[in-house]
Amino acid sequence: MQVADLYVRVSTDEQTKGYSPRSQEAVLRQYCQLRNITVRHVFVEDYTAKHFNRPEWRKIMVILRKQRNKTDLLLFTKWDRFSRNTSDAYQMIDVLKKLGVEPQAVEQPLDLTIPENKMMLAIYLTAPEIENDRRGLNTKAGIRQAKKEGRYMGKAPRGYINKAYEDGRRYITFKEPEASIMRWVFNEVAEGLYSSESIMKQANERGLNIDKNTFYLSLRNPVYCGKIRVAATNDELAHLVQGLHEPLISEALFYKVQDIMDGRSKILKGLAIATPKDLPLRNFIKCNRCPRMLTGSASKGRNTYRVYYHCRSSCGIRYKAKDVNNAFMDELTTLLPRAGYPELFVASIAEAYTNQHRAIKEESDELIRQIGEANRKIDNARELLLLHELEANEYRKIKEENGSTIARLEMRLNEVNVQKSTHVNIKKLAQMAINALCEVDKLYDIASTEAKRYLVGILFPEKMTYAEGVCRTGKLNRAAELIYLENKELRAKKMGQKSRLKTLPHKGWNMGLEPTTS
């Protein structure tokens, strides 16, 4: 009497709760009963047949190898229950034959010892594979069209959650507190002061719970600025479309982050956010004996801990943290505006702000020129394509590169246009700023460790040195030079000469020492 194992398969877990598994098993048991075949095991699978890397199928192969020649048949209802991949199916049939097992579909029986039946087997195996491929193409086409219409497909990114309307249409919306944390992440990366890894760690402490790879992929995801990425095909270039969901951040902020990550935007040195309160200058001070930066740590004495700045190498550089911190405070006091400078500062800022509109107009004209130049490159490439002097793939590459450039320039142009229409009481803001800067040493003294490091990073993009009890700072940030009146133009103006300084950088206000303005 022959012995058989029964294999029942459906594609999804939901189908296991329906009638199909029981129906298949009933057909197989009836087949065995009519032919006096003994049923040994029944395996029920809820997995795809595109490959044989299936949980239950792996169990079958383990049992068949351990109990070789104890099973004569492996029965299933149809060949598409066995496999929907022709090449894999032929290989698995050979493996089963070597184990002394004959696979057979009871509703599509074939005697594989007859050569002509192999043609029928090919039809039985190929038809489901073709059906799978066609269904896959239709699904991809539907997903692509949905993306073109602005719908986000797939699992929602961090900060969003998948939901559905009453009619079944799905959409994504904000999920708090993840949305607020991701908004904070983009703003911090765009600020350029802290390293991305430090920002990620801080975000995880706030409850984001994200790994490094997902974090960097999220920063590249245009979904956060309300765009949906449509992948390239043979007939169409990759492009972005306006999504139906609400954006978490502005397009300007998203592209600013992309520029920073791509190295197109010069940013401040990436710093660690978290640092001990007694070591606010850690990684800001250069070692005097090697190219490394000084780190910091505490060593335990008899009764208390002693904190030091020291080098990571074996060069032996080591300073008491208290001495270095006090020396930096002394250096910071030398930057305070001298008597008479606050009034000059306010007057100079007011004059620069008045002239700034001309600089903004010049920048606007330059952006328009660059956009026009990029459009001309695309037009020229199109003409060369029509004249068969340029390959289609080369044209697509030129169009994609210049299209990305145009998008960035248009975003910047929108920012400039907003600045054109923005008017503030500049004298009042400048007076508030200079009042704060006149007491920057006191502000630094009472600030939190994070705020201290932010201020140091803003003021001194170049690292400092410490020797013989004196902390020497490098070149000041350009905006800081202007604010502290260190440059020649403002010194000349104090002496009664005409200032050659027409405009001040309009982004020089993000110092954190005065109220945020639009």
Side-chain angles (χ1 to χ4, degrees), residues 231-251:
T233 62
N234 294 332
D235 303 323
E236 191 175 13
L237 293 171
H239 60 282
L240 297 177
V241 299
Q242 186 63 45
L244 300 176
H245 62 282
E246 185 178 354
L248 186 68
I249 59 173
S250 67
E251 289 185 51

Side-chain angles (χ1 to χ4, degrees), residues 295-307:
T295 184
S297 62
S299 59
K300 188 174 183 181
R302 288 186 176 181
N303 301 317
T304 184
Y305 284 92
R306 297 178 180 177
V307 187

Side-chain angles (χ1 to χ4, degrees), residues 132 175 423 427:
N132 259 1
K175 178 184 178 182
H423 297 279
K427 287 190 175 181

Side-chain angles (χ1 to χ4, degrees), residues 117 170 314:
N117 281 345
R170 302 184 66 83
S314 58

Side-chain angles (χ1 to χ4, degrees), residues 430-453:
Q431 188 62 55
M432 292 172 63
I434 197 63
N435 290 342
L437 294 171
C438 286
E439 297 182 347
V440 69
D441 55 334
K442 297 178 182 178
L443 292 174
Y444 177 84
D445 190 39
I446 64 175
S448 65
T449 302
E450 182 179 345
K452 287 180 179 179
R453 291 178 64 78

Side-chain angles (χ1 to χ4, degrees), residues 181-197:
I181 297 174
M182 284 303 302
R183 190 180 293 110
W184 174 84
V185 165
F186 275 96
N187 283 315
E188 288 298 311
V189 174
E191 194 76 21
L193 180 60
Y194 301 118
S195 66
S196 298
E197 190 167 349

